[in-house]
Amino acid sequence: MTRADRPSLTPTTLRRLRTGAALLVLGVLAACGRQAQVSSGQALASVDGQEITIHQLNAELGKGAAREASKQTLDGLVARQLLVNAARKEKLDSNPTVLADMERARDLVLAQSYVQMKLARPSRPTQQDLDAFYDQHPDWFAQRQQFEFAELVIDKASVNEELNKMMAGARPLEDVAAWLQKQHIPFTRLQVTKSSMDLPAPMLEGVKKMEKGQLFIVNEGNVAILAALADVRNAPLSRAAATQQIEQLLFSQRQGEITEQAVARMRSDARIVYFDSAKTLKDSNATPVADAATDRDAASARGTVLK
């Protein structure tokens, strides 16, 4: 089962990044001798002399957020400031890795702010757009299904020929768990529910052909997921129920297209040089035919392996 590993700038992430940036600026100002008190009653709390203001609280909630300011939200900012103070006491704010992460966070916020503030806003989808998207994705909506999987997560290096043979046979996943215990191979149990919208198209097609109880392996980074299809349920979404979700999907899709066009224009105007050291980087969008054939042959020998 693939999990989403691509980093995304969700509203929650942006709020956290902006709050972190605000804390950093406050710390720099304090170091330069800024007076402790904030005028006009803007300070809501103070943690070892470091004030938390109404502006930080509003930034945490986000513009137009449905939830209201609460004591719990402020307590969360207090807890964060305690951790920030502890990190500074340990001089983590001068740690090269931490500094690199802070620089990356700053760049992400700037890039996203440019997209939001300077690029054209996508037009609102028409009802015809919504209906067409709904009809073009039956697995996501009208014919949506929910799949339950029982999983045993192990280190990928622990997968051997005997385990592959076990996973290729017809047996309960519990037999595999018992074998792992006997071989002193540590594992973590998981019960995972995914909808047909959550699964990549190639994987969805494979899962739809499976029978309940069928075993398969998913390779994910440094781990191997030994999984069994536990249950399948129909969970259709009506056109009306899916409307808001489709609007958000189309908005993100169109915003992405606008951003790609802007980046293409910027590329044409910029002087970009790739050095020799970049030539060793693999193109993740290209899979050599020979490698693909090898992967298929290896999969056939091992049993069912989904990627």
Side-chain angles (χ1 to χ4, degrees):
M1 213 59 35
T2 58
R3 290 171 171 77
D5 51 334
R6 38 178 194 173
S8 59
L9 289 177
T10 63
T12 301
T13 301
L14 286 173
R15 286 196 295 272
R16 290 173 178 169
L17 292 175
R18 289 178 182 131
T19 301
L23 291 172
L24 178 62
V25 172
L26 286 173
V28 172
L29 291 175
C32 294
R34 181 174 63 88
Q35 291 191 0
Q37 297 299 320
V38 176
S39 60
S40 304
Q42 293 179 343
L44 299 175
S46 175
V47 180
D48 293 332
Q50 182 66 59
E51 290 175 339
I52 298 173
T53 70
I54 186 64
H55 301 298
Q56 290 172 257
L57 184 66
N58 290 337
E60 184 71 12
L61 295 171
K63 294 181 180 179
R67 61 193 182 112
E68 297 179 355
S70 67
K71 178 64 163 51
Q72 287 71 27
T73 309
L74 179 58
D75 286 342
L77 287 174
V78 169
R80 183 184 301 168
Q81 188 62 54
L82 287 169
L83 292 172
V84 169
N85 291 350
R88 286 176 175 152
K89 185 176 180 180
E90 297 294 329
K91 300 189 183 303
L92 294 182
D93 53 346
S94 59
N95 181 288
T97 301
V98 175
L99 288 172
D101 288 342
M102 292 171 66
E103 182 67 18
R104 178 176 178 273
R106 174 182 174 276
D107 288 347
L108 287 171
V109 172
L110 282 173
Q112 185 65 23
S113 297
Y114 181 85
V115 170
Q116 292 177 342
M117 298 178 183
K118 297 300 181 179
L119 296 186
R121 300 281 290 177
S123 59
R124 185 181 181 86
T126 65
Q127 187 60 49
Q128 185 177 1
D129 295 331
L130 300 175
D131 289 340
F133 193 90
Y134 183 91
D135 294 334
Q136 290 165 4
H137 298 84
D139 286 328
W140 291 7
F141 306 114
Q143 299 173 21
R144 191 177 73 136
Q145 293 179 297
Q146 283 190 331
F147 304 95
E148 288 189 8
F149 303 95
E151 299 181 351
L152 306 174
V153 183
I154 66 173
D155 190 290
K156 192 174 181 178
S158 299
V159 177
N160 55 32
E161 185 177 355
E162 186 175 358
L163 179 56
N164 280 323
K165 288 181 179 179
M166 291 189 68
M167 292 298 294
R171 58 172 48 85
L173 189 63
E174 282 304 311
D175 289 358
V176 179
W179 182 86
L180 292 173
Q181 289 177 330
K182 186 176 180 180
Q183 300 297 317
H184 305 290
I185 298 176
F187 62 88
T188 301
R189 291 181 183 272
L190 293 176
Q191 198 74 23
V192 177
T193 300
K194 295 280 188 180
S195 77
S196 50
M197 188 178 188
D198 300 324
L199 303 179
M203 187 173 189
L204 176 60
E205 291 306 310
V207 171
K208 286 167 69 174
K209 297 174 183 177
M210 290 183 182
E211 297 181 357
K212 290 183 183 180
Q214 183 169 340
L215 304 181
F216 60 97
I217 303 175
V218 178
N219 293 319
E220 188 174 287
N222 294 324
V223 303
I225 302 172
L226 315 178
L229 179 59
D231 194 17
V232 181
R233 296 191 303 273
N234 292 326
L237 273 181
S238 68
R239 199 176 296 267
T243 295
Q244 184 175 4
Q245 187 176 16
I246 294 174
E247 284 182 338
Q248 293 172 348
L249 288 168
L250 288 175
F251 180 88
S252 297
Q253 183 183 73
R254 293 175 179 180
Q255 185 69 75
E257 293 170 353
I258 292 172
T259 303
E260 288 177 1
Q261 292 169 3
V263 171
R265 291 193 299 270
M266 294 174 186
R267 279 182 176 274
S268 64
D269 295 335
R271 183 175 180 270
I272 302 173
V273 179
Y274 291 100
F275 299 106
D276 290 342
S277 55
K279 293 180 179 179
T280 59
L281 299 177
K282 183 178 179 181
D283 185 354
S284 59
N285 293 324
T287 301
V289 175
D291 291 351
T294 302
D295 288 344
R296 286 195 298 270
D297 293 341
S300 298
R302 291 193 303 265
T304 304
V305 179
L306 299 180
K307 296 182 179 181

